[in-house]
Amino acid sequence: MSTREAPLGHLTLKQVEKRFGGFVALHAVDLEVEDGEFLVLVGPSGCGKSTLLRIIAGLESVSSGEIMLDGESLKDVPPRDRDMAMVFQDYALYPQMSVAENLGFGLKMRGRPRDEIADRVAAVAEILELTPLLLRRPRALSGGQRQRVALGRAMIRSPEVFLLDEPLSNLDAKLRVGMRMEIRRIQKRVGTTSIYVTHDQVEAMTMADRIVVMKDGRIQQIGDPMEIYDRPANSFVGTFIGSPPMSLIEAAVDGGMLVFDDGVRVALPADRASAVASVGRVLVGLRAEHVEIVAPGKGGADFRSDIGLVENHGPESIAVAVLGGVDILARVPSGELVAGASDVGFRLRADRISLFDMDGGAALV
Ligand SMILES: Nc1ncnc2c1ncn2[C@@H]1O[C@H](COP(=O)(O)OP(=O)(O)OP(=O)(O)O)[C@@H](O)[C@H]1O
Ligand SMILES: [Mg+2]
């Protein structure tokens, strides 16, 4: 395989629906994946991620709607004729075959000439740093090395599209971090359009060009990682993406002020105040960094709270405070707060918080 520019690989889904009997697994999915893009599908278990990937690969039929690759409908194209390669979550290598044989097996089944197979195995092994391991059997490889062989089997065909379904879920935390960087490095190098499924929002944030957040078979939001983090389309996206999770608190709106249930009042900037002027109550979404500690003795605190737990994350800590009778999380420099501290002053970044509709949770700003 060469490190040529990938061919096209522009994927379009229009109003794709999937029903299993009476159950709707995917509702009217519209999606454009650009050439060479690394798109991450993320959402809780059962939201339809694998189903969507399998539909694109042709392993499941669509109930209605249309899928196109480079402008051509895939309706009558069987899976083996789609120029796509899929890495499944439970990838299985052939235990009796060497790494080289595992890598070349797909090409051999397609009747490619022996020389061509050897060349492409060598090229893929080089990219994945598997060259010294080509004669080993899978049982003599580490988890990460096996994972690379599984990726190599997909890459060797130089497909237009890679479909990766939780390919790192079998690995321990440290190996996952290494492999996710490696996958991005390889994908950038070969430039193949890729759809990567995960339920891990950290993986989504760190790897994606764009993220698609799904829930209950529906797309909730599509955007680049910072857009999704800073401007979640609804309270589900706000709480699903980001670590620690966003805190949600109800508050009343009164003349440009948020009024929390314990009487704390916080002024909203003009644009936010006007966006919620006509609603009586809102759901306030606070990220931990939107809650700033005020140094002792300094004024300007929006509210004061005793501190429950303080979780140390090295350079910073996450502290549990109370606002409006609800536990909220605050990001503070490590060493500034201890568990059990009392009457600590905090300021809210009212210019950055999210405001959601009480009914349905759609973003109001
Ligand atoms: N062949 C099938 N028949 C009936 N229901 C199915 C079938 N395949 C999937 N489903 C249902 O469709 C929904 C979506 O399943 P899917 O496997 O796509 O979820 P997922 O997002 O990949 O979840 P996970 O993160 O657990 O892998 C689930 O409720 C599942 O039970
Ligand atoms: Mg799945």
Side-chain angles (χ1 to χ4, degrees), residues 46 49-51 89 165-166 197:
K49 306 179 295 294
S50 295
T51 303
Q89 173 173 347
D165 195 352
E166 311 227 16
V197 163

